[in-house]
Each structure stands twice: as C-alpha cells, then as structure tokens.
Amino acid sequence: MTEFWLFAIGIFLIVIYTLHKLGNNYFGKKNRKDKHLFNIYHWEILVALSSGLTYLVLLILKSTSILPF
C-alpha cells in the first residue's frame, strides 16, 4: 500500500507542477496587474484539477494492469 501512495503523490506533484507552469505561460506574468501567485483561488483550482487528473491517471493505469496493486 505504501508503494501506491508514493506513486500517487509523485504523479500528483508532477501534474500540479505541469499545470502551474502551463498556467503561468498561458496567462502570462506580464499581462497581470497583480503579480501575486499565492492567490487562494489560483491554488484551489490547481489542486482540484490536479486531484482529478491524478485520479484519472491512476484509474487508467489500474484498468490496463500496469499497476500491480
């Protein structure tokens, strides 16, 4: 079970980092008036999307029998 949680946390961190970088590149830092990246709504949306995508990736990997647990 420990392997599952380590794998899930790893996927979650990769997904959240990728979405954060894509969001910064898409919306652009120079186009914003406020340069605060610690806006609570930014992180709420980011965590929600990352959680959903992590669940989807784990579900797909489990259904294709790539994950043994």
Side-chain angles (χ1 to χ4, degrees):
M1 192 64 168
T2 305
E3 296 143 356
F4 170 76
W5 287 111
L6 290 175
F7 191 71
I9 290 169
I11 288 177
F12 179 77
L13 291 175
I14 290 169
V15 169
I16 203 166
Y17 177 77
T18 304
L19 288 176
H20 179 68
K21 283 296 186 183
L22 288 174
N24 277 344
N25 289 341
Y26 181 74
F27 293 112
K29 294 179 185 177
K30 59 186 173 190
N31 293 336
R32 277 193 244 165
K33 291 181 181 178
D34 59 336
K35 306 250 183 197
H36 302 291
L37 288 178
F38 295 104
N39 187 354
I40 190 70
Y41 298 115
H42 169 77
W43 291 106
E44 280 182 9
I45 293 169
L46 197 62
V47 168
L49 282 174
S50 298
S51 298
L53 288 175
T54 300
Y55 178 75
L56 185 66
V57 167
L58 288 174
L59 186 67
I60 290 170
L61 291 176
K62 180 68 176 167
S63 67
T64 57
S65 298
I66 293 175
L67 294 179
F69 32 80

